[in-house]
Amino acid sequence: MTTLFINGSSRTAGNTVALGERLLTDIPHQTIHLIDQHLNFDCDYRDTGHPQADPSDDYQQLMARFATADDIVLGTPVYWYNMTGQLKTFVDRWFDSFTTGFPFAGKRLYLVVVGADDPQHKALGIGQSLQDSCDWLKMTYMGATIVTADGPHDVAQMAQLPADFTALRERLLAATAVVSRETKSN
């Protein structure tokens, strides 16, 4: 498995999932709904002698799946001008993995965002924080698509998605085609 969709929405069948699944049409992938996972907040144990890890939740199992993916699609609605708490907690926990040498480098990260009220403006911080995180972890931030939708099935019913969606899908298709060719030749 080389593509993983991580849904940060509290809905497992809402607009965020619909947007992610449309992006991933005809691309083999697995989907993880963070709302179905138990994730504790990050605790900073530097300089304490305590390991930077928390084995009491689902984080290590999530990262085992993350490790097998070349392409990671993160999805979130806009909540108070940011990503959801579920997704933020997951991203914060990357620090645990970083401190133990997790292989982030070379992974490609894509972002899908849905919001009802001017998400193109209100979601800017989400993309920037993930781009900065990718830079630090040596992952490649491939870009974002941001869609305006309010009703629970709006994205699924959209006949046309914005240009940034098409561009992001083309980047994802090109990346997964390269991985597919490499896998077949090995």
Side-chain angles (χ1 to χ4, degrees), residues 73-123:
V73 176
L74 297 180
T76 184
V78 179
Y79 279 16
W80 290 101
Y81 313 100
N82 211 327
M83 65 187 81
T84 62
Q86 296 94 304
L87 186 56
K88 179 68 169 113
T89 297
F90 178 65
V91 172
D92 283 350
R93 291 290 299 280
W94 290 356
F95 182 71
D96 293 1
S97 298
F98 174 78
T99 63
T100 60
F102 184 86
F104 286 103
K107 294 188 181 299
R108 294 176 293 270
L109 187 90
Y110 309 78
L111 176 62
V112 297
V113 178
V114 179
D117 178 27
D118 191 22
Q120 285 72 16
H121 172 256
K122 293 179 179 177

Side-chain angles (χ1 to χ4, degrees), residues 70 108 175-186:
D70 297 307
R108 294 176 293 270
T176 57
V178 168
V179 170
S180 179
R181 283 195 303 273
E182 289 172 354
T183 302
K184 287 179 184 175
S185 67
N186 287 334

